[in-house]
Amino acid sequence: MSVEANMSTVCTWFNALHPEVQAAIIGAIATGLAALIGILTVSHQIRSQARQARDAVAEGERRKIKAALYDEILTSSRDLSDAAIELSNQLRMTNLDVTLAARAATLGVQFNTPSARFIRIMQLHETFSSCALRLIFLIESRRIIDPRIIVFRTALSSVLHDARQYMFSDAIAYVMPALPVDAPNGGLFPYDPPSVEAAEILCIHNDQMIESLNDAISYTEDLLTEMQNCLLGDLFGNQINAREPIDPDKQVITLSNSDLVEKWFENNTAWGVDIAKAEAAARARFEREEA
């Protein structure tokens, strides 16, 4: 039997019923439909609320993870900045003490023996280098935040390169001979200040190192700015502007200019020059081995 025939039969049967029966049937059908619609509506609301609850929990966990990521980057950045500041202050004091002693000796008047010791400078340099390496390793392991943050590894690697050059070449040649040395049994070994010219050379090398340390502090500031924007910007609805140095030649690192900054470090720093030489030597060695 076709659907049309079935419908015709139902209509004929329904029309033959007493009006009160018809009204009761219609009322029952309407009640059933209303109940069904209510059940479907409640079911949809329950599913929607459950989905919203899951999304809220997931979003809360994402925010916790973002906050934790920022906190660990903040801690490592502060450690590096503190180490850079402490070493910078020591070098500035060294410049002042040695310069005063050198000038006083030239004039034949009494002078205060410099309080700086080369061993202390070495210790502060080691602390700075360790903090820089920890931050570099942290950056490498947190590239999931944004792969472009690797530019900060490049910047800190360049600073570390300059620091090693200072510590194991310039400082040994010009700073260490100008400072007094503690005797094993107490007191000092006999100390003669350097000449005024030698003190000036010492200051030049120390000032170059201080400039590198200031760069490290600036780069950590740039890193924290970018991480606040990436990890916390959506939470507070704000974005922090990039640093604006007085010296236009100083590099400001942002994620948006990361490619340009990478190229600048490769082409304009001693670190970049040495990396290029090392890569060229490795390629030449590989080509000889393949030949």
Side-chain angles (χ1 to χ4, degrees):
M1 184 179 291
S2 65
V3 175
E4 291 81 0
N6 287 333
M7 291 296 298
S8 176
T9 300
V10 171
C11 289
T12 301
W13 169 80
F14 182 78
N15 290 331
L17 296 175
H18 191 277
E20 293 181 356
V21 177
Q22 291 178 345
I25 292 174
I26 293 172
I29 293 174
T31 301
L33 288 174
L36 178 61
I37 292 172
I39 292 171
L40 293 175
T41 300
V42 171
S43 176
H44 174 73
Q45 289 176 343
I46 291 173
R47 288 197 299 270
S48 177
Q49 290 173 352
R51 183 171 59 254
Q52 290 174 0
R54 289 194 299 270
D55 291 344
V57 171
E59 179 62 22
E61 291 301 315
R62 281 194 292 270
R63 291 191 183 281
K64 288 180 183 178
I65 293 172
K66 286 182 176 182
L69 290 172
Y70 179 74
D71 282 344
E72 61 183 3
I73 291 174
L74 174 61
T75 298
S76 292
S77 296
R78 280 179 174 173
D79 289 343
L80 177 57
S81 293
D82 290 345
I85 291 171
E86 191 169 5
L87 179 53
S88 294
N89 290 341
Q90 179 66 73
L91 296 180
R92 289 188 178 94
M93 185 57 68
T94 300
N95 286 352
L96 179 61
D97 285 352
V98 172
T99 298
L100 290 177
R103 290 178 178 175
T106 300
L107 297 173
V109 299
Q110 275 192 321
F111 59 87
N112 292 324
T113 302
S115 60
R117 300 291 184 271
F118 189 71
I119 187 66
R120 178 58 178 162
I121 294 175
M122 289 183 63
Q123 291 169 346
L124 293 176
H125 171 269
E126 182 179 356
T127 299
F128 168 77
S129 297
S130 297
C131 289
L133 287 172
R134 282 199 299 271
L135 184 54
I136 286 174
F137 294 150
L138 183 60
I139 289 169
E140 291 175 337
S141 64
R142 296 297 181 265
R143 282 176 289 175
I144 190 64
I145 298 172
D146 189 315
R148 294 174 296 177
I149 68 171
I150 205 67
V151 67
F152 291 100
R153 179 186 68 180
T154 298
L156 294 176
S157 296
S158 177
V159 171
L160 276 177
H161 179 278
D162 294 342
R164 285 192 295 268
Q165 169 66 30
Y166 165 82
M167 193 70 243
F168 301 114
S169 178
D170 302 336
I172 291 176
Y174 304 106
V175 180
M176 185 171 66
L179 295 178
V181 178
D182 294 324
N185 57 350
L188 298 174
F189 286 111
Y191 174 71
D192 291 320
S195 65
V196 173
E197 293 76 13
E200 290 174 349
I201 294 174
L202 173 148
C203 290
I204 290 172
H205 289 288
N206 279 355
D207 286 344
Q208 290 174 344
M209 182 58 187
I210 290 170
E211 184 175 357
S212 293
L213 294 170
N214 289 338
D215 287 341
I217 296 170
S218 297
Y219 299 151
T220 59
E221 180 183 341
D222 293 340
L223 174 61
L224 291 177
T225 295
E226 293 303 297
M227 292 303 95
Q228 286 187 73
N229 289 336
C230 282
L231 299 173
L232 305 178
D234 62 335
L235 178 60
F236 295 100
N238 295 314
Q239 291 287 303
I240 302 175
N241 294 328
R243 176 172 55 88
E244 296 182 1
I246 297 176
D247 185 351
D249 293 331
K250 290 294 184 181
Q251 290 300 304
V252 177
I253 305 176
T254 65
L255 297 181
S256 60
N257 73 358
S258 58
D259 289 342
L260 292 175
V261 173
E262 283 277 2
K263 289 182 174 61
W264 185 90
F265 277 106
E266 291 173 0
N267 298 324
N268 297 278
T269 64
W271 170 84
V273 171
D274 285 352
I275 289 294
K277 289 180 179 177
E279 291 177 350
R283 282 193 295 270
R285 183 172 62 253
F286 177 77
E287 291 172 356
R288 287 195 302 270
E289 292 173 353
E290 289 292 307

